[in-house]
Amino acid sequence: MPELPEVETIRRDLAKVLVGKKITGVEVINKSPIKESVEKFKKSLLNKKIKDIGRIGKLMILDLSDDNFLLIHLKMTGQLIYRHGHQIIEGGHNLPVFKENDLPTKYTWVVWKFNDGGQLYFNDMRKFGYLKVVDKEVKEKIVAKYGIEPLTKNFTLANFKKALGKRKTSIKSVLLNQVLIAGIGNIYADEICFAAGIHPGRSVAEMSETEIKKVFTASKVILKKAIAHKGTTFKDYVNAHGGKGNFSDYLQVYKRVGEKCLRCKKGSITSKKIAGRSSHYCPICQKVIS
DNA sequence: CGGAGTGTTAGTCG
DNA sequence: CCGACTAACACTCC
């Protein structure tokens, strides 16, 4: 599923082709992602222009010309595919690279048509994702609920420490908590913990200043690197450029169970449920210090 | 074939 | 308030 680097990649790619375009058609094949009346949804989008595309955490925000906003959350299996003739730009949960005749797929629920002939498809196998048009006030309320976003100037060590607080829970659980830190999901949480040399199950309350600093720095480094590589194509994710994300080549622990640790060359990567999620780590260089 | 596991997160329960 | 757990859904893997 798309995490911050993947959603950011789609955002950038779609902005290039959608900003300034007018929505001339909205087709709803399945209304499951639409949490309001379909009529209202269509009406609020029809004949509006896309002014800009933004993002908070894993949520995409399309600015419309009437100052309302289309929110798109892909959750686990959502995909956004833009097609204009032979040109395909895709992003989201894993797919084979689409060809123009593959669309719509059996999981396409919504199709938008644009004034230049382009079309945007929203696919979502498991139907967890959502689409919502909201006014500025509601949009700001939703954005305000998100925690600090790594890679912005808000993401300072002081703010990071404030987010961690004196929580009893594990560092992994905090990294995954969107209310505290926006955009990190299961893959990057594990990669960040590995880069920091910290066990994902380490209790936040017991972490030293040095350990906190390591996780803080690793968060920025890993996410920046992942964006530079257009995200991770793992099983489900494909980026919005017709090509696959390739950060998967750089994954150190995620889905490497049983393989030798790439850092210490001694430990074999272990998987265990931590914070309710499958977690991958090296039991030798990510020891729980107590 | 059956059952467990899967990138998210909102909601519930203790 | 905080944290742990689960449901929403559909497919893949063992």
PDB file of all heavy atoms in Angstrom, chain A residues 7-21 50 52-53 60 62 72 74 79-83 88-91 112 114 119-121 240-241:
ATOM      1  N   VAL A   7       2.609   8.122  -2.182  1.00  0.00           N
ATOM      2  CA  VAL A   7       1.566   9.125  -2.405  1.00  0.00           C
ATOM      3  C   VAL A   7       2.197  10.416  -2.931  1.00  0.00           C
ATOM      4  O   VAL A   7       1.655  11.067  -3.825  1.00  0.00           O
ATOM      5  CB  VAL A   7       0.754   9.390  -1.113  1.00  0.00           C
ATOM      6  CG1 VAL A   7      -0.302  10.470  -1.350  1.00  0.00           C
ATOM      7  CG2 VAL A   7       0.067   8.113  -0.654  1.00  0.00           C
ATOM      8  N   GLU A   8       3.355  10.767  -2.420  1.00  0.00           N
ATOM      9  CA  GLU A   8       4.055  11.961  -2.899  1.00  0.00           C
ATOM     10  C   GLU A   8       4.447  11.802  -4.374  1.00  0.00           C
ATOM     11  O   GLU A   8       4.337  12.741  -5.162  1.00  0.00           O
ATOM     12  CB  GLU A   8       5.284  12.230  -2.027  1.00  0.00           C
ATOM     13  CG  GLU A   8       6.162  13.378  -2.476  1.00  0.00           C
ATOM     14  CD  GLU A   8       5.456  14.727  -2.493  1.00  0.00           C
ATOM     15  OE1 GLU A   8       4.375  14.868  -1.895  1.00  0.00           O
ATOM     16  OE2 GLU A   8       5.993  15.659  -3.142  1.00  0.00           O
ATOM     17  N   THR A   9       4.872  10.609  -4.734  1.00  0.00           N
ATOM     18  CA  THR A   9       5.232  10.343  -6.132  1.00  0.00           C
ATOM     19  C   THR A   9       4.009  10.483  -7.045  1.00  0.00           C
ATOM     20  O   THR A   9       4.083  11.130  -8.093  1.00  0.00           O
ATOM     21  CB  THR A   9       5.843   8.927  -6.263  1.00  0.00           C
ATOM     22  OG1 THR A   9       6.979   8.844  -5.406  1.00  0.00           O
ATOM     23  CG2 THR A   9       6.277   8.641  -7.690  1.00  0.00           C
ATOM     24  N   ILE A  10       2.890   9.913  -6.626  1.00  0.00           N
ATOM     25  CA  ILE A  10       1.664  10.044  -7.438  1.00  0.00           C
ATOM     26  C   ILE A  10       1.259  11.505  -7.517  1.00  0.00           C
ATOM     27  O   ILE A  10       0.853  12.000  -8.568  1.00  0.00           O
ATOM     28  CB  ILE A  10       0.470   9.284  -6.807  1.00  0.00           C
ATOM     29  CG1 ILE A  10       0.824   7.836  -6.498  1.00  0.00           C
ATOM     30  CG2 ILE A  10      -0.738   9.323  -7.737  1.00  0.00           C
ATOM     31  CD1 ILE A  10      -0.253   7.163  -5.657  1.00  0.00           C
ATOM     32  N   ARG A  11       1.346  12.193  -6.379  1.00  0.00           N
ATOM     33  CA  ARG A  11       0.944  13.600  -6.346  1.00  0.00           C
ATOM     34  C   ARG A  11       1.731  14.408  -7.381  1.00  0.00           C
ATOM     35  O   ARG A  11       1.170  15.153  -8.176  1.00  0.00           O
ATOM     36  CB  ARG A  11       1.192  14.189  -4.950  1.00  0.00           C
ATOM     37  CG  ARG A  11       0.670  15.595  -4.763  1.00  0.00           C
ATOM     38  CD  ARG A  11       1.253  16.282  -3.544  1.00  0.00           C
ATOM     39  NE  ARG A  11       2.676  16.567  -3.713  1.00  0.00           N
ATOM     40  CZ  ARG A  11       3.165  17.538  -4.469  1.00  0.00           C
ATOM     41  NH1 ARG A  11       2.345  18.336  -5.129  1.00  0.00           N
ATOM     42  NH2 ARG A  11       4.468  17.709  -4.589  1.00  0.00           N
ATOM     43  N   ARG A  12       3.037  14.230  -7.373  1.00  0.00           N
ATOM     44  CA  ARG A  12       3.886  14.984  -8.308  1.00  0.00           C
ATOM     45  C   ARG A  12       3.564  14.635  -9.753  1.00  0.00           C
ATOM     46  O   ARG A  12       3.466  15.516 -10.606  1.00  0.00           O
ATOM     47  CB  ARG A  12       5.364  14.663  -8.053  1.00  0.00           C
ATOM     48  CG  ARG A  12       5.863  15.213  -6.739  1.00  0.00           C
ATOM     49  CD  ARG A  12       7.332  14.851  -6.540  1.00  0.00           C
ATOM     50  NE  ARG A  12       7.790  15.268  -5.221  1.00  0.00           N
ATOM     51  CZ  ARG A  12       9.016  15.082  -4.775  1.00  0.00           C
ATOM     52  NH1 ARG A  12       9.914  14.472  -5.528  1.00  0.00           N
ATOM     53  NH2 ARG A  12       9.356  15.496  -3.576  1.00  0.00           N
ATOM     54  N   ASP A  13       3.414  13.339 -10.015  1.00  0.00           N
ATOM     55  CA  ASP A  13       3.172  12.908 -11.389  1.00  0.00           C
ATOM     56  C   ASP A  13       1.812  13.364 -11.897  1.00  0.00           C
ATOM     57  O   ASP A  13       1.678  13.808 -13.038  1.00  0.00           O
ATOM     58  CB  ASP A  13       3.292  11.383 -11.488  1.00  0.00           C
ATOM     59  CG  ASP A  13       4.742  10.914 -11.337  1.00  0.00           C
ATOM     60  OD1 ASP A  13       5.652  11.775 -11.420  1.00  0.00           O
ATOM     61  OD2 ASP A  13       4.965   9.714 -11.132  1.00  0.00           O
ATOM     62  N   LEU A  14       0.799  13.259 -11.036  1.00  0.00           N
ATOM     63  CA  LEU A  14      -0.538  13.666 -11.474  1.00  0.00           C
ATOM     64  C   LEU A  14      -0.636  15.181 -11.618  1.00  0.00           C
ATOM     65  O   LEU A  14      -1.338  15.683 -12.506  1.00  0.00           O
ATOM     66  CB  LEU A  14      -1.607  13.162 -10.497  1.00  0.00           C
ATOM     67  CG  LEU A  14      -1.895  11.660 -10.536  1.00  0.00           C
ATOM     68  CD1 LEU A  14      -2.991  11.320  -9.534  1.00  0.00           C
ATOM     69  CD2 LEU A  14      -2.309  11.195 -11.931  1.00  0.00           C
ATOM     70  N   ALA A  15       0.070  15.914 -10.760  1.00  0.00           N
ATOM     71  CA  ALA A  15       0.015  17.380 -10.842  1.00  0.00           C
ATOM     72  C   ALA A  15       0.450  17.857 -12.228  1.00  0.00           C
ATOM     73  O   ALA A  15      -0.127  18.790 -12.780  1.00  0.00           O
ATOM     74  CB  ALA A  15       0.888  18.003  -9.754  1.00  0.00           C
ATOM     75  N   LYS A  16       1.440  17.180 -12.791  1.00  0.00           N
ATOM     76  CA  LYS A  16       1.950  17.578 -14.106  1.00  0.00           C
ATOM     77  C   LYS A  16       0.883  17.520 -15.192  1.00  0.00           C
ATOM     78  O   LYS A  16       0.894  18.322 -16.118  1.00  0.00           O
ATOM     79  CB  LYS A  16       3.116  16.671 -14.515  1.00  0.00           C
ATOM     80  CG  LYS A  16       4.388  16.951 -13.736  1.00  0.00           C
ATOM     81  CD  LYS A  16       5.491  15.992 -14.192  1.00  0.00           C
ATOM     82  CE  LYS A  16       6.545  15.880 -13.100  1.00  0.00           C
ATOM     83  NZ  LYS A  16       7.309  14.614 -13.211  1.00  0.00           N
ATOM     84  N   VAL A  17      -0.026  16.536 -15.080  1.00  0.00           N
ATOM     85  CA  VAL A  17      -1.012  16.383 -16.158  1.00  0.00           C
ATOM     86  C   VAL A  17      -2.397  16.907 -15.801  1.00  0.00           C
ATOM     87  O   VAL A  17      -3.227  17.126 -16.677  1.00  0.00           O
ATOM     88  CB  VAL A  17      -1.138  14.905 -16.612  1.00  0.00           C
ATOM     89  CG1 VAL A  17       0.133  14.461 -17.324  1.00  0.00           C
ATOM     90  CG2 VAL A  17      -1.449  13.982 -15.444  1.00  0.00           C
ATOM     91  N   LEU A  18      -2.686  17.107 -14.511  1.00  0.00           N
ATOM     92  CA  LEU A  18      -4.052  17.481 -14.138  1.00  0.00           C
ATOM     93  C   LEU A  18      -4.244  18.956 -13.784  1.00  0.00           C
ATOM     94  O   LEU A  18      -5.348  19.489 -13.948  1.00  0.00           O
ATOM     95  CB  LEU A  18      -4.530  16.633 -12.949  1.00  0.00           C
ATOM     96  CG  LEU A  18      -4.768  15.145 -13.228  1.00  0.00           C
ATOM     97  CD1 LEU A  18      -5.347  14.479 -11.987  1.00  0.00           C
ATOM     98  CD2 LEU A  18      -5.707  14.945 -14.420  1.00  0.00           C
ATOM     99  N   VAL A  19      -3.193  19.611 -13.317  1.00  0.00           N
ATOM    100  CA  VAL A  19      -3.370  21.002 -12.889  1.00  0.00           C
ATOM    101  C   VAL A  19      -3.754  21.876 -14.087  1.00  0.00           C
ATOM    102  O   VAL A  19      -3.126  21.827 -15.139  1.00  0.00           O
ATOM    103  CB  VAL A  19      -2.098  21.539 -12.193  1.00  0.00           C
ATOM    104  CG1 VAL A  19      -2.194  23.049 -11.986  1.00  0.00           C
ATOM    105  CG2 VAL A  19      -1.893  20.832 -10.864  1.00  0.00           C
ATOM    106  N   GLY A  20      -4.845  22.625 -13.891  1.00  0.00           N
ATOM    107  CA  GLY A  20      -5.343  23.492 -14.960  1.00  0.00           C
ATOM    108  C   GLY A  20      -6.413  22.827 -15.812  1.00  0.00           C
ATOM    109  O   GLY A  20      -7.074  23.491 -16.605  1.00  0.00           O
ATOM    110  N   LYS A  21      -6.602  21.515 -15.637  1.00  0.00           N
ATOM    111  CA  LYS A  21      -7.607  20.802 -16.439  1.00  0.00           C
ATOM    112  C   LYS A  21      -8.983  20.894 -15.786  1.00  0.00           C
ATOM    113  O   LYS A  21      -9.103  21.004 -14.561  1.00  0.00           O
ATOM    114  CB  LYS A  21      -7.213  19.325 -16.602  1.00  0.00           C
ATOM    115  CG  LYS A  21      -5.854  19.124 -17.258  1.00  0.00           C
ATOM    116  CD  LYS A  21      -5.885  19.399 -18.745  1.00  0.00           C
ATOM    117  CE  LYS A  21      -4.531  19.830 -19.311  1.00  0.00           C
ATOM    118  NZ  LYS A  21      -3.419  18.971 -18.926  1.00  0.00           N
ATOM    119  N   ILE A  50      -8.940  21.687 -11.744  1.00  0.00           N
ATOM    120  CA  ILE A  50      -7.973  21.288 -10.710  1.00  0.00           C
ATOM    121  C   ILE A  50      -6.954  22.419 -10.595  1.00  0.00           C
ATOM    122  O   ILE A  50      -6.201  22.673 -11.539  1.00  0.00           O
ATOM    123  CB  ILE A  50      -7.225  19.984 -11.098  1.00  0.00           C
ATOM    124  CG1 ILE A  50      -8.187  18.876 -11.535  1.00  0.00           C
ATOM    125  CG2 ILE A  50      -6.309  19.528  -9.950  1.00  0.00           C
ATOM    126  CD1 ILE A  50      -9.015  18.279 -10.451  1.00  0.00           C
ATOM    127  N   ASP A  52      -4.624  22.715  -8.045  1.00  0.00           N
ATOM    128  CA  ASP A  52      -3.341  22.247  -7.519  1.00  0.00           C
ATOM    129  C   ASP A  52      -3.575  20.880  -6.883  1.00  0.00           C
ATOM    130  O   ASP A  52      -4.718  20.498  -6.634  1.00  0.00           O
ATOM    131  CB  ASP A  52      -2.830  23.247  -6.465  1.00  0.00           C
ATOM    132  CG  ASP A  52      -1.331  23.082  -6.222  1.00  0.00           C
ATOM    133  OD1 ASP A  52      -0.688  22.267  -6.917  1.00  0.00           O
ATOM    134  OD2 ASP A  52      -0.810  23.758  -5.315  1.00  0.00           O
ATOM    135  N   ILE A  53      -2.498  20.157  -6.613  1.00  0.00           N
ATOM    136  CA  ILE A  53      -2.630  18.895  -5.886  1.00  0.00           C
ATOM    137  C   ILE A  53      -1.685  18.920  -4.700  1.00  0.00           C
ATOM    138  O   ILE A  53      -0.491  19.184  -4.845  1.00  0.00           O
ATOM    139  CB  ILE A  53      -2.337  17.665  -6.777  1.00  0.00           C
ATOM    140  CG1 ILE A  53      -3.237  17.688  -8.019  1.00  0.00           C
ATOM    141  CG2 ILE A  53      -2.562  16.369  -5.989  1.00  0.00           C
ATOM    142  CD1 ILE A  53      -3.105  16.469  -8.921  1.00  0.00           C
ATOM    143  N   MET A  60      -4.257  12.447  -0.343  1.00  0.00           N
ATOM    144  CA  MET A  60      -4.088  13.385  -1.452  1.00  0.00           C
ATOM    145  C   MET A  60      -5.213  14.390  -1.424  1.00  0.00           C
ATOM    146  O   MET A  60      -6.368  14.057  -1.135  1.00  0.00           O
ATOM    147  CB  MET A  60      -4.150  12.638  -2.782  1.00  0.00           C
ATOM    148  CG  MET A  60      -2.837  12.003  -3.133  1.00  0.00           C
ATOM    149  SD  MET A  60      -2.294  12.577  -4.731  1.00  0.00           S
ATOM    150  CE  MET A  60      -3.371  11.612  -5.705  1.00  0.00           C
ATOM    151  N   LEU A  62      -6.919  17.396  -3.778  1.00  0.00           N
ATOM    152  CA  LEU A  62      -6.994  18.124  -5.038  1.00  0.00           C
ATOM    153  C   LEU A  62      -7.744  19.431  -4.807  1.00  0.00           C
ATOM    154  O   LEU A  62      -8.901  19.418  -4.360  1.00  0.00           O
ATOM    155  CB  LEU A  62      -7.705  17.283  -6.112  1.00  0.00           C
ATOM    156  CG  LEU A  62      -6.842  16.211  -6.797  1.00  0.00           C
ATOM    157  CD1 LEU A  62      -6.466  15.092  -5.841  1.00  0.00           C
ATOM    158  CD2 LEU A  62      -7.556  15.631  -8.016  1.00  0.00           C
ATOM    159  N   ILE A  72      -8.566  12.190  -1.537  1.00  0.00           N
ATOM    160  CA  ILE A  72      -8.435  10.816  -2.032  1.00  0.00           C
ATOM    161  C   ILE A  72      -7.520  10.045  -1.094  1.00  0.00           C
ATOM    162  O   ILE A  72      -6.353  10.386  -0.944  1.00  0.00           O
ATOM    163  CB  ILE A  72      -7.833  10.771  -3.452  1.00  0.00           C
ATOM    164  CG1 ILE A  72      -8.691  11.595  -4.415  1.00  0.00           C
ATOM    165  CG2 ILE A  72      -7.688   9.327  -3.931  1.00  0.00           C
ATOM    166  CD1 ILE A  72      -8.174  11.607  -5.851  1.00  0.00           C
ATOM    167  N   LEU A  74      -6.040   6.244  -0.559  1.00  0.00           N
ATOM    168  CA  LEU A  74      -5.933   4.948  -1.241  1.00  0.00           C
ATOM    169  C   LEU A  74      -5.939   3.774  -0.270  1.00  0.00           C
ATOM    170  O   LEU A  74      -6.057   2.623  -0.698  1.00  0.00           O
ATOM    171  CB  LEU A  74      -4.657   4.918  -2.082  1.00  0.00           C
ATOM    172  CG  LEU A  74      -4.560   5.988  -3.175  1.00  0.00           C
ATOM    173  CD1 LEU A  74      -3.192   5.947  -3.838  1.00  0.00           C
ATOM    174  CD2 LEU A  74      -5.651   5.808  -4.226  1.00  0.00           C
ATOM    175  N   GLN A  79      -5.737   2.563  -6.172  1.00  0.00           N
ATOM    176  CA  GLN A  79      -4.854   2.925  -7.282  1.00  0.00           C
ATOM    177  C   GLN A  79      -5.435   4.137  -7.990  1.00  0.00           C
ATOM    178  O   GLN A  79      -6.646   4.291  -8.073  1.00  0.00           O
ATOM    179  CB  GLN A  79      -4.793   1.792  -8.317  1.00  0.00           C
ATOM    180  CG  GLN A  79      -4.427   0.448  -7.740  1.00  0.00           C
ATOM    181  CD  GLN A  79      -4.631  -0.676  -8.728  1.00  0.00           C
ATOM    182  OE1 GLN A  79      -5.553  -0.664  -9.542  1.00  0.00           O
ATOM    183  NE2 GLN A  79      -3.763  -1.665  -8.663  1.00  0.00           N
ATOM    184  N   LEU A  80      -4.558   4.994  -8.506  1.00  0.00           N
ATOM    185  CA  LEU A  80      -4.991   6.091  -9.367  1.00  0.00           C
ATOM    186  C   LEU A  80      -4.245   5.941 -10.676  1.00  0.00           C
ATOM    187  O   LEU A  80      -3.014   5.866 -10.676  1.00  0.00           O
ATOM    188  CB  LEU A  80      -4.660   7.444  -8.739  1.00  0.00           C
ATOM    189  CG  LEU A  80      -5.615   7.950  -7.668  1.00  0.00           C
ATOM    190  CD1 LEU A  80      -5.053   9.220  -7.041  1.00  0.00           C
ATOM    191  CD2 LEU A  80      -7.010   8.206  -8.234  1.00  0.00           C
ATOM    192  N   ILE A  81      -4.991   5.871 -11.762  1.00  0.00           N
ATOM    193  CA  ILE A  81      -4.352   5.705 -13.060  1.00  0.00           C
ATOM    194  C   ILE A  81      -4.865   6.790 -13.994  1.00  0.00           C
ATOM    195  O   ILE A  81      -6.071   6.957 -14.147  1.00  0.00           O
ATOM    196  CB  ILE A  81      -4.641   4.323 -13.675  1.00  0.00           C
ATOM    197  CG1 ILE A  81      -4.173   3.219 -12.728  1.00  0.00           C
ATOM    198  CG2 ILE A  81      -3.926   4.159 -15.012  1.00  0.00           C
ATOM    199  CD1 ILE A  81      -5.286   2.366 -12.224  1.00  0.00           C
ATOM    200  N   TYR A  82      -3.950   7.524 -14.574  1.00  0.00           N
ATOM    201  CA  TYR A  82      -4.311   8.557 -15.532  1.00  0.00           C
ATOM    202  C   TYR A  82      -3.996   8.035 -16.923  1.00  0.00           C
ATOM    203  O   TYR A  82      -2.941   7.448 -17.153  1.00  0.00           O
ATOM    204  CB  TYR A  82      -3.508   9.828 -15.271  1.00  0.00           C
ATOM    205  CG  TYR A  82      -3.726  10.905 -16.307  1.00  0.00           C
ATOM    206  CD1 TYR A  82      -4.841  11.735 -16.245  1.00  0.00           C
ATOM    207  CD2 TYR A  82      -2.821  11.076 -17.351  1.00  0.00           C
ATOM    208  CE1 TYR A  82      -5.053  12.712 -17.199  1.00  0.00           C
ATOM    209  CE2 TYR A  82      -3.023  12.056 -18.313  1.00  0.00           C
ATOM    210  CZ  TYR A  82      -4.140  12.868 -18.236  1.00  0.00           C
ATOM    211  OH  TYR A  82      -4.343  13.832 -19.187  1.00  0.00           O
ATOM    212  N   ARG A  83      -4.951   8.227 -17.807  1.00  0.00           N
ATOM    213  CA  ARG A  83      -4.731   7.780 -19.184  1.00  0.00           C
ATOM    214  C   ARG A  83      -5.106   8.886 -20.159  1.00  0.00           C
ATOM    215  O   ARG A  83      -6.144   9.535 -20.016  1.00  0.00           O
ATOM    216  CB  ARG A  83      -5.580   6.547 -19.488  1.00  0.00           C
ATOM    217  CG  ARG A  83      -5.412   6.027 -20.900  1.00  0.00           C
ATOM    218  CD  ARG A  83      -6.135   4.719 -21.078  1.00  0.00           C
ATOM    219  NE  ARG A  83      -7.572   4.921 -21.232  1.00  0.00           N
ATOM    220  CZ  ARG A  83      -8.161   5.184 -22.402  1.00  0.00           C
ATOM    221  NH1 ARG A  83      -7.447   5.273 -23.497  1.00  0.00           N
ATOM    222  NH2 ARG A  83      -9.462   5.347 -22.467  1.00  0.00           N
ATOM    223  N   ILE A  88       0.024   6.532 -20.110  1.00  0.00           N
ATOM    224  CA  ILE A  88      -0.527   6.008 -18.864  1.00  0.00           C
ATOM    225  C   ILE A  88       0.354   6.446 -17.714  1.00  0.00           C
ATOM    226  O   ILE A  88       1.572   6.304 -17.773  1.00  0.00           O
ATOM    227  CB  ILE A  88      -0.561   4.452 -18.871  1.00  0.00           C
ATOM    228  CG1 ILE A  88      -1.367   3.913 -20.047  1.00  0.00           C
ATOM    229  CG2 ILE A  88      -1.062   3.916 -17.534  1.00  0.00           C
ATOM    230  CD1 ILE A  88      -2.822   3.706 -19.779  1.00  0.00           C
ATOM    231  N   ILE A  89      -0.268   6.979 -16.678  1.00  0.00           N
ATOM    232  CA  ILE A  89       0.458   7.331 -15.461  1.00  0.00           C
ATOM    233  C   ILE A  89      -0.272   6.633 -14.332  1.00  0.00           C
ATOM    234  O   ILE A  89      -1.462   6.853 -14.125  1.00  0.00           O
ATOM    235  CB  ILE A  89       0.449   8.859 -15.243  1.00  0.00           C
ATOM    236  CG1 ILE A  89       1.274   9.548 -16.331  1.00  0.00           C
ATOM    237  CG2 ILE A  89       1.000   9.188 -13.862  1.00  0.00           C
ATOM    238  CD1 ILE A  89       1.258  11.057 -16.224  1.00  0.00           C
ATOM    239  N   GLU A  90       0.430   5.763 -13.607  1.00  0.00           N
ATOM    240  CA  GLU A  90      -0.288   5.003 -12.601  1.00  0.00           C
ATOM    241  C   GLU A  90       0.399   5.048 -11.258  1.00  0.00           C
ATOM    242  O   GLU A  90       1.618   5.174 -11.157  1.00  0.00           O
ATOM    243  CB  GLU A  90      -0.462   3.550 -13.055  1.00  0.00           C
ATOM    244  CG  GLU A  90       0.847   2.870 -13.408  1.00  0.00           C
ATOM    245  CD  GLU A  90       0.630   1.502 -14.027  1.00  0.00           C
ATOM    246  OE1 GLU A  90      -0.444   1.249 -14.583  1.00  0.00           O
ATOM    247  OE2 GLU A  90       1.550   0.679 -13.934  1.00  0.00           O
ATOM    248  N   GLY A  91      -0.402   4.930 -10.222  1.00  0.00           N
ATOM    249  CA  GLY A  91       0.152   4.950  -8.888  1.00  0.00           C
ATOM    250  C   GLY A  91      -0.769   4.262  -7.910  1.00  0.00           C
ATOM    251  O   GLY A  91      -1.982   4.342  -8.040  1.00  0.00           O
ATOM    252  N   TRP A 112     -12.945   9.822 -13.838  1.00  0.00           N
ATOM    253  CA  TRP A 112     -13.125  11.248 -14.145  1.00  0.00           C
ATOM    254  C   TRP A 112     -12.622  11.497 -15.571  1.00  0.00           C
ATOM    255  O   TRP A 112     -11.576  10.968 -15.971  1.00  0.00           O
ATOM    256  CB  TRP A 112     -12.286  12.127 -13.219  1.00  0.00           C
ATOM    257  CG  TRP A 112     -12.665  12.106 -11.775  1.00  0.00           C
ATOM    258  CD1 TRP A 112     -13.538  12.954 -11.143  1.00  0.00           C
ATOM    259  CD2 TRP A 112     -12.174  11.227 -10.753  1.00  0.00           C
ATOM    260  NE1 TRP A 112     -13.608  12.647  -9.797  1.00  0.00           N
ATOM    261  CE2 TRP A 112     -12.786  11.600  -9.525  1.00  0.00           C
ATOM    262  CE3 TRP A 112     -11.268  10.152 -10.749  1.00  0.00           C
ATOM    263  CZ2 TRP A 112     -12.527  10.942  -8.327  1.00  0.00           C
ATOM    264  CZ3 TRP A 112     -11.007   9.497  -9.557  1.00  0.00           C
ATOM    265  CH2 TRP A 112     -11.628   9.888  -8.363  1.00  0.00           C
ATOM    266  N   PHE A 114     -11.509  14.555 -18.357  1.00  0.00           N
ATOM    267  CA  PHE A 114     -11.035  15.936 -18.378  1.00  0.00           C
ATOM    268  C   PHE A 114     -11.187  16.554 -19.757  1.00  0.00           C
ATOM    269  O   PHE A 114     -11.301  15.850 -20.755  1.00  0.00           O
ATOM    270  CB  PHE A 114      -9.576  16.001 -17.905  1.00  0.00           C
ATOM    271  CG  PHE A 114      -9.433  15.591 -16.465  1.00  0.00           C
ATOM    272  CD1 PHE A 114      -9.217  14.254 -16.126  1.00  0.00           C
ATOM    273  CD2 PHE A 114      -9.576  16.526 -15.450  1.00  0.00           C
ATOM    274  CE1 PHE A 114      -9.124  13.869 -14.791  1.00  0.00           C
ATOM    275  CE2 PHE A 114      -9.485  16.150 -14.122  1.00  0.00           C
ATOM    276  CZ  PHE A 114      -9.264  14.823 -13.786  1.00  0.00           C
ATOM    277  N   GLN A 119      -8.273  10.853 -18.826  1.00  0.00           N
ATOM    278  CA  GLN A 119      -9.190  10.211 -17.889  1.00  0.00           C
ATOM    279  C   GLN A 119      -8.416   9.730 -16.669  1.00  0.00           C
ATOM    280  O   GLN A 119      -7.289   9.259 -16.800  1.00  0.00           O
ATOM    281  CB  GLN A 119      -9.869   9.012 -18.547  1.00  0.00           C
ATOM    282  CG  GLN A 119     -10.628   9.353 -19.807  1.00  0.00           C
ATOM    283  CD  GLN A 119     -11.605   8.250 -20.165  1.00  0.00           C
ATOM    284  OE1 GLN A 119     -12.627   8.093 -19.537  1.00  0.00           O
ATOM    285  NE2 GLN A 119     -11.254   7.480 -21.180  1.00  0.00           N
ATOM    286  N   LEU A 120      -9.050   9.848 -15.506  1.00  0.00           N
ATOM    287  CA  LEU A 120      -8.429   9.382 -14.275  1.00  0.00           C
ATOM    288  C   LEU A 120      -9.298   8.273 -13.685  1.00  0.00           C
ATOM    289  O   LEU A 120     -10.505   8.442 -13.514  1.00  0.00           O
ATOM    290  CB  LEU A 120      -8.303  10.546 -13.282  1.00  0.00           C
ATOM    291  CG  LEU A 120      -7.602  10.219 -11.958  1.00  0.00           C
ATOM    292  CD1 LEU A 120      -6.124   9.900 -12.159  1.00  0.00           C
ATOM    293  CD2 LEU A 120      -7.751  11.392 -10.973  1.00  0.00           C
ATOM    294  N   TYR A 121      -8.673   7.119 -13.403  1.00  0.00           N
ATOM    295  CA  TYR A 121      -9.389   5.959 -12.870  1.00  0.00           C
ATOM    296  C   TYR A 121      -9.028   5.750 -11.409  1.00  0.00           C
ATOM    297  O   TYR A 121      -7.847   5.770 -11.051  1.00  0.00           O
ATOM    298  CB  TYR A 121      -9.004   4.692 -13.647  1.00  0.00           C
ATOM    299  CG  TYR A 121      -9.345   4.734 -15.115  1.00  0.00           C
ATOM    300  CD1 TYR A 121      -8.501   5.380 -16.013  1.00  0.00           C
ATOM    301  CD2 TYR A 121     -10.504   4.126 -15.604  1.00  0.00           C
ATOM    302  CE1 TYR A 121      -8.802   5.429 -17.364  1.00  0.00           C
ATOM    303  CE2 TYR A 121     -10.813   4.163 -16.955  1.00  0.00           C
ATOM    304  CZ  TYR A 121      -9.964   4.820 -17.827  1.00  0.00           C
ATOM    305  OH  TYR A 121     -10.267   4.864 -19.158  1.00  0.00           O
ATOM    306  N   ALA A 240       3.273   6.639 -10.352  1.00  0.00           N
ATOM    307  CA  ALA A 240       2.420   7.312 -11.322  1.00  0.00           C
ATOM    308  C   ALA A 240       3.167   7.721 -12.588  1.00  0.00           C
ATOM    309  O   ALA A 240       2.960   8.778 -13.114  1.00  0.00           O
ATOM    310  CB  ALA A 240       1.748   8.512 -10.665  1.00  0.00           C
ATOM    311  N   HIS A 241       4.039   6.913 -13.083  1.00  0.00           N
ATOM    312  CA  HIS A 241       4.731   7.298 -14.310  1.00  0.00           C
ATOM    313  C   HIS A 241       4.804   6.159 -15.305  1.00  0.00           C
ATOM    314  O   HIS A 241       5.694   6.118 -16.151  1.00  0.00           O
ATOM    315  CB  HIS A 241       6.132   7.807 -13.992  1.00  0.00           C
ATOM    316  CG  HIS A 241       6.380   9.141 -14.614  1.00  0.00           C
ATOM    317  ND1 HIS A 241       6.195  10.308 -13.946  1.00  0.00           N
ATOM    318  CD2 HIS A 241       6.730   9.479 -15.870  1.00  0.00           C
ATOM    319  CE1 HIS A 241       6.446  11.312 -14.765  1.00  0.00           C
ATOM    320  NE2 HIS A 241       6.767  10.836 -15.927  1.00  0.00           N
TER     321      HIS A 241
END
